[in-house]
Amino acid sequence: MRTPIKAALACILLATAGCVGTKTPPANATPSSPASASLPAPGSTSDWRWVQGMVFVPTTAVNEAQEWDEYDPVVNDRELHYASTYGINVVRVYLHYYVYLKKKTVFLADIDDFLARADKYGIRTEFVFFDDCWNQPPKELLSADYRYPKPIQGVHNSQWLVCPGDDVRNHYEQHQKGLKSYVQDVVNAHVSDKRVVFWEIYNEPNKSKETIRLEKDAAIWIKETGTKIPATATGKEFSGTPFSDFVSWHEYGTYDIFGDEHTLCTECMNRQGQTVPGIVSHYKGKVGYIMWEFGIGRDNCRFAWGENREKPRKDEAVTPFHGVVYPDGHPWALDDAKALLGSSYAKTPFFAVSYFRDPAFTDLAKKSVTPMIDFDLGTEVGTGSPDATVRVPNENYSIAYTGEVMAPSDGSSTIEADTDGTLDVSVNGQQLINKTALGRSVTKASVNLSGNRDFTVSVRYRHGTGPTNLHLSWSGPTFNSRPLLPSSHPQGI
């Protein structure tokens, strides 16, 4: 998502505070107040090479505020499961001060819920408190009845919000106590929580006096909690290094490395100059890296920096600018999955999936893999399609799945399908579900299975119009309802 020097003009147009500084840290970047003794000395002995991370924004959210204001545990759990399947071990998650002001208790509880879900899948989390990029947050967001705007078609990151925003920063004395509480309430709740890998004070902090003041204070507020979890703010051409326990940096131009294994690249990967396989091959084993971003969704980062409000893209790109995996769990490119998983790709359980541009399974658009058959899509242009890059339409398309699933024990198992479309489900070649009418409903059928043995599953789904819903789950003698997960890797993919 973020903007290198060559794209700074687009960022300046979108956010008064700006996103990009100059290469040289300002003289006033080092705090001169007595509290500066509490600030860290830049540098770290931590080795970050183990990090293979992604910025994580649920594909249903237009920005980081909606991610928390309308927190959806089901979507977050599903997409964290996807991330784990594709070899992601750290997620970078943005918070927002306005959501804290609006619903503090719920906000803090949702953060804890998120951490529990990420930890369940072996993923550690880092939280970003402040951000100098993109649009100013509207005051209306603080209202209980606020409705988030839709993404602007063809516009990169069209609804992303600065945090805390110019209004707060320009009335700093009025908000300083609240900002301190925001930072410390989050940190104190997880002061020694191993699920949190580090705190990120500020994303791409510019070199204005307002940003420097907030960076300095936030770094001190974090240290005052007594947490031993390290903190950082974006360095290199940005102003965060003097306030950081270790140096973090962004690289969107080439595959240059800033520093060594004790520094961390917290943003990279745009497909106009980089690729997922390129990042892995250049960085893995040398430095840790976090790519922008995991999901391809409503934040519109599939559009490029230059595709802005003044010059929106008129169609869907065949290559998403950012993003790796779609809401249904399949990757934009199999090569991305292979790079992230390395040699384990060939052993990772997936369903094989084929997408068709028509409802008759004839106009094949793409073959891929997915970790499960469990997703929802809306009706918006681009994100209403399971994959707009290959011109699968929002309406009247079909998808076919095949794979193996292992029954944990002997006995009768129940397959359950919750879907809007027509659906055929076969187990070991026997048709089990035959839903012939459009319209969302739940269909169940039972089958006797032998324990500790794989059974084959074939699914053929046809979507008509409106939102897409397809959720395949099962239950058995020794377990309650859960998503149907594959047990083996499909041959030839």
Side-chain angles (χ1 to χ4, degrees):
M1 178 191 81
R2 296 303 192 241
T3 315
I5 295 297
K6 66 182 180 180
L9 288 177
C11 194
I12 292 170
L13 286 171
L14 286 171
T16 304
C19 291
V20 177
T22 58
K23 291 283 185 181
T24 306
N28 65 348
T30 302
S32 57
S33 68
S36 64
S38 302
L39 291 170
S44 170
T45 57
S46 297
D47 186 336
W48 296 103
R49 286 179 294 178
W50 62 272
V51 174
Q52 178 167 269
M54 293 276 179
V55 172
F56 184 89
V57 184
T59 56
T60 53
V62 298
N63 57 38
E64 77 279 36
Q66 187 178 28
E67 175 177 357
W68 294 106
D69 201 1
E70 299 178 0
Y71 180 74
D72 188 329
V74 174
V75 172
N76 278 276
D77 193 276
R78 179 191 307 155
E79 296 185 2
L80 285 166
H81 171 72
Y82 294 163
S84 174
T85 300
Y86 288 105
I88 303 308
N89 56 29
V90 169
V91 287
R92 184 172 184 248
V93 181
Y94 284 75
L95 306 176
H96 205 283
Y97 177 56
Y98 274 28
V99 182
Y100 170 83
L101 292 178
K102 184 176 182 178
K103 50 197 307 184
K104 179 178 75 172
T105 301
V106 174
F107 176 69
L108 295 173
D110 288 341
I111 287 174
D112 193 60
D113 180 85
F114 182 90
L115 285 170
R117 294 176 189 279
D119 183 62
K120 177 175 66 173
Y121 296 115
I123 296 173
R124 298 180 72 185
T125 302
E126 63 109 331
F127 291 113
V128 184
F129 288 104
F130 301 110
D131 186 5
D132 265 353
C133 283
W134 302 102
N135 308 292
Q136 294 298 321
K139 289 184 179 180
E140 293 80 9
L141 194 156
L142 294 168
S143 301
D145 59 353
Y146 179 73
R147 295 294 178 265
Y148 285 84
K150 294 181 179 180
I152 302 172
Q153 178 62 17
V155 175
H156 172 83
N157 212 25
S158 62
Q159 304 295 355
W160 195 264
L161 299 177
V162 170
C163 181
D166 284 352
D167 183 67
V168 172
R169 295 176 3 140
N170 292 338
H171 300 87
Y172 191 72
E173 290 73 18
Q174 176 184 341
H175 288 278
Q176 188 175 21
K177 183 178 179 181
L179 290 165
K180 180 178 180 179
S181 295
Y182 161 61
V183 171
Q184 292 194 336
D185 280 353
V186 173
V187 176
N188 277 324
H190 307 284
V191 69
S192 58
D193 193 335
K194 293 182 179 180
R195 300 174 300 179
V196 178
V197 62
F198 61 89
W199 306 109
E200 187 156 359
I201 303 163
Y202 219 121
N203 174 70
E204 296 197 350
N206 64 43
K207 298 181 180 181
S208 68
K209 63 180 182 181
E210 293 83 5
T211 290
I212 298 297
R213 175 174 57 185
L214 180 53
E215 277 186 286
K216 177 191 74 173
D217 283 351
I220 293 170
W221 298 334
I222 290 172
K223 294 304 174 187
E224 285 177 349
T225 67
T227 183
K228 301 301 182 184
I229 299 171
T232 190
T234 319
K236 199 178 175 185
E237 68 264 38
F238 301 99
S239 64
T241 298
F243 312 105
S244 300
D245 292 313
F246 65 94
V247 174
S248 59
W249 47 278
H250 294 174
E251 179 54 62
Y252 281 121
T254 58
Y255 297 106
D256 289 345
I257 292 175
F258 184 75
D260 57 19
E261 69 271 19
H262 305 302
T263 71
L264 179 63
C265 179
T266 50
E267 280 189 27
C268 55
M269 211 295 285
N270 82 88
R271 291 192 179 91
Q272 288 185 347
Q274 301 166 320
T275 64
V276 172
I279 293 293
V280 174
S281 65
H282 285 86
Y283 288 179
K284 197 172 186 67
K286 299 175 183 176
V287 291
Y289 49 89
I290 298 174
M291 301 187 205
W292 194 289
E293 65 185 320
F294 182 69
I296 303 173
R298 297 181 72 236
D299 67 3
N300 271 19
C301 288
R302 65 189 187 278
F303 299 111
W305 290 315
E307 293 160 359
N308 52 42
R309 295 180 187 228
E310 290 72 34
K311 295 181 179 179
R313 187 181 178 94
K314 302 301 182 184
D315 61 354
E316 289 289 329
V318 296
T319 301
F321 186 69
H322 292 311
V324 176
V325 173
Y326 287 97
D328 74 335
H330 88 276
W332 171 70
L334 286 173
D335 283 346
D336 291 353
K338 292 174 182 178
L340 292 169
L341 288 166
S343 60
S344 66
Y345 170 79
K347 300 177 182 178
T348 301
F350 286 113
F351 290 109
V353 56
S354 298
Y355 299 91
F356 299 86
R357 302 183 186 94
D358 67 321
F361 302 94
T362 57
D363 188 4
L364 178 65
K366 184 177 188 176
K367 290 186 176 182
S368 190
V369 295
T370 187
M372 55 184 176
I373 306 170
D374 183 27
F375 68 98
D376 302 283
L377 298 174
T379 59
E380 292 169 354
V381 175
T383 56
S385 162
D387 193 330
T389 65
V390 291
R391 303 301 184 254
V392 177
N394 283 25
E395 301 179 344
N396 299 311
Y397 62 82
S398 51
I399 309 175
Y401 302 86
T402 58
E404 293 182 329
V405 178
M406 178 172 286
S409 59
D410 291 342
S412 177
S413 293
T414 300
I415 309 293
E416 179 175 312
D418 174 6
T419 183
D420 70 287
T422 68
L423 190 71
D424 299 318
V425 179
S426 296
V427 171
N428 289 335
Q430 174 187 351
Q431 187 179 68
L432 201 62
I433 292 176
N434 182 26
K435 180 178 180 286
T436 59
L438 294 172
R440 188 167 185 177
S441 64
V442 175
T443 306
K444 300 180 181 181
S446 296
V447 59
N448 286 316
L449 298 170
S450 299
N452 298 314
R453 297 178 67 176
D454 288 331
F455 61 93
T456 60
V457 176
S458 173
V459 179
R460 290 167 68 85
Y461 164 77
R462 304 166 187 84
H463 175 64
T465 61
T468 297
N469 316 102
L470 180 55
H471 306 278
L472 212 60
S473 59
W474 68 318
S475 59
T478 59
F479 61 96
N480 296 323
S481 182
R482 64 192 188 194
L484 193 69
L485 300 179
S487 57
S488 64
H489 190 90
Q491 293 183 357
I493 300 180

